[in-house]
Amino acid sequence: MRRVRVLKDLPAIKLVGRQLGPLAEGEETQLEAWEASVLERHGIVEPLQKLTPAELRKLLLAEERESGLTPLPDDFYSSVAQKIAFARAAGQHEEAEEIQTQVSTLMEIRIPKLVRLALSPESVGPLPPQELFLINRLAVALDSWNKRLKESFEKVGEEVGRNEEIGRPVRHAVGDEADIQKPGV
C-alpha cells in the first residue's frame, strides 16, 4: 500500500474491476501501489513519501545511525524503480543516477543487517517483500550449508564430496591445502 495525497477531485471509478473513489482534493489515503502509480502518472495523486535525493539522504543517515533496520514502506523498491523510470523519461538522467546511487548505498548498509536477520528469521519484523525474499533465500542457503558442514564433521577422514564438474573427489582438485583461489577449482 502507498500513502498518497489527492491533487484533483476524483469521482468514483472502476479501475481494473475495482471500485476506486470518490477522492477529494487534499485528502490523504492509501492505495495499492499499482493504483497509486496509475493515478500519479495522470497527475491525480502524489506520494506522501517523496523519493527525492534529499529524502533518500535522510533515509540513508537514519539507517547509518540505527543498529537495526529502519522501517521502509512495503512499496519502497517498486517506488524507487518507478521514480527512476519517471526521471529518465523526463530527461532527468542525473537525478535518476543520484537516486540509484543513494539506494545502492542504502542497500550496502542494510544487507549486513538483513544477513543477521536471516540467521534468526523468526525475529523478522515488517519489511518490504523484496527484503523478505532475500532473508528467506539466505536462511535456506545458510541452513543447507550448516547441514552439509555437520555432515562433513561426521565423515572425518573420508572424502566429503566430489567436484561434479570434473568428476573427481574434491581433495583431488584442491589438494591438501585449503586455498580456494586455486585455478581450475
Side-chain angles (χ1 to χ4, degrees):
M1 298 294 277
R2 189 178 300 171
R3 299 245 347 124
V4 296
R5 178 179 296 111
V6 181
L7 300 174
K8 297 178 186 175
D9 288 337
L10 179 72
I13 61 170
K14 275 202 170 214
L15 187 60
V16 191
R18 179 174 138 89
Q19 176 76 27
L20 185 63
L23 301 172
E25 183 178 337
E27 178 182 349
E28 292 181 5
T29 188
Q30 279 194 311
L31 299 172
E32 294 291 335
W34 66 271
E35 293 170 333
S37 177
V38 169
L39 296 178
E40 187 179 344
R41 258 194 313 253
H42 293 288
I44 297 170
V45 300
E46 68 178 357
L48 287 179
Q49 182 182 28
K50 307 275 188 203
L51 290 173
T52 63
E55 288 298 317
L56 287 170
R57 275 192 291 279
K58 288 179 189 176
L59 276 174
L60 190 56
L61 288 172
E63 194 68 49
E64 286 174 332
R65 282 190 295 254
E66 294 292 323
S67 61
L69 290 165
T70 57
L72 291 178
D74 280 352
D75 66 336
F76 177 76
Y77 295 103
S78 59
S79 294
V80 166
Q82 180 183 2
K83 178 69 174 177
I84 290 170
F86 285 170
R88 285 187 179 141
Q92 301 167 332
H93 298 288
E94 288 177 15
E95 181 180 350
E97 188 64 33
E98 186 175 355
I99 290 170
Q100 191 168 347
T101 299
Q102 288 181 350
V103 171
S104 293
T105 304
L106 180 67
M107 289 313 307
E108 288 174 9
I109 297 167
R110 288 181 73 86
I111 285 174
K113 296 175 183 183
L114 292 168
V115 170
R116 282 194 301 272
L117 279 176
L119 293 169
S120 59
E122 59 278 350
S123 66
V124 174
L127 294 172
Q130 295 87 345
E131 291 182 352
L132 287 173
F133 176 80
L134 175 62
I135 287 173
N136 288 335
R137 294 293 301 248
L138 287 171
V140 168
L142 290 169
D143 186 51
S144 174
W145 177 80
N146 194 22
K147 286 178 184 171
R148 289 184 66 122
L149 188 62
K150 286 179 181 177
E151 288 173 7
S152 73
F153 294 157
E154 294 172 7
K155 296 180 179 181
V156 175
E158 296 178 33
E159 187 61 53
V160 294
R162 297 181 72 78
N163 182 317
E164 298 300 325
E165 290 179 21
I166 59 175
R168 294 181 291 199
V170 173
R171 182 168 292 149
H172 179 78
V174 299
D176 290 330
E177 296 176 33
D179 182 2
I180 61 170
Q181 299 299 318
K182 276 189 165 181
V185 176

